Amino acid sequence: MPPALPESPMIASLSLILLCQLAGEVFVRALALPLPGPVVGLMLLLLLLLARDRFVIVARGPLQGGGVEHASRFLVANLSLLFVPAGVGVVQKLDLVAEHGIAFLGVLAISVVATLLVTVVTFLAASRLLARGSADE
């Protein structure tokens, strides 16, 4: 009889994260929603983590003992490695960048300004809600 393999909570936790992403992709494609699948998968993972904190029965496998949190910290710590394939893709398409460089810069500038505006509006709305909440107490 072969020896039992050691438990690997990291692999189980990463598998859960990837399964949530896959479920998000399937859900979005099945319903033809205009959302990225990984965002829906992230919401599913958030719901699982919230359920884990409320219901003891859900706290099993990679959801117990901070497994998902540990795997997430590992991914964030090595996030820069995930940008290497994108960088290689840009280098491979330098001819397109040269041809449409001005358009890329324009879209980038507009998206930065839009992101800043949405961030400011969100911050102001959250500040007002928090101020209203502390005034009610």
Side-chain angles (χ1 to χ4, degrees):
M1 187 160 156
L5 294 173
E7 238 183 276
S8 181
M10 176 68 85
I11 291 175
S13 299
L14 288 172
S15 297
L16 178 66
I17 292 169
L18 291 174
L19 274 172
C20 287
Q21 180 178 353
L22 176 64
E25 284 285 345
V26 169
F27 183 77
V28 164
R29 289 181 187 221
L31 297 178
L33 296 174
L35 288 171
V39 171
V40 174
L42 189 63
M43 289 189 290
L44 175 63
L45 183 62
L46 176 63
L47 290 174
L48 281 173
L49 291 172
L50 291 172
R52 175 203 62 187
D53 293 342
R54 280 191 173 261
F55 309 108
V56 178
I57 197 164
V58 179
R60 296 175 187 258
L63 287 174
Q64 71 185 10
V68 172
E69 288 88 345
H70 178 69
S72 299
R73 274 190 230 103
F74 173 78
L75 284 174
V76 169
N78 296 294
L79 190 62
S80 59
L81 293 176
L82 300 176
F83 287 101
V84 172
V88 170
V90 168
V91 170
Q92 286 181 338
K93 300 293 183 181
L94 281 178
D95 56 334
L96 285 175
V97 173
E99 186 178 338
H100 303 289
I102 300 299
F104 286 152
L105 288 176
V107 168
L108 184 61
I110 290 169
S111 65
V112 166
V113 170
T115 301
L116 288 173
L117 290 174
V118 169
T119 302
V120 167
V121 169
T122 303
F123 176 77
L124 290 174
S127 296
R128 288 184 185 141
L129 286 173
L130 290 173
R132 187 180 309 153
S134 60
D136 291 342
E137 292 175 3

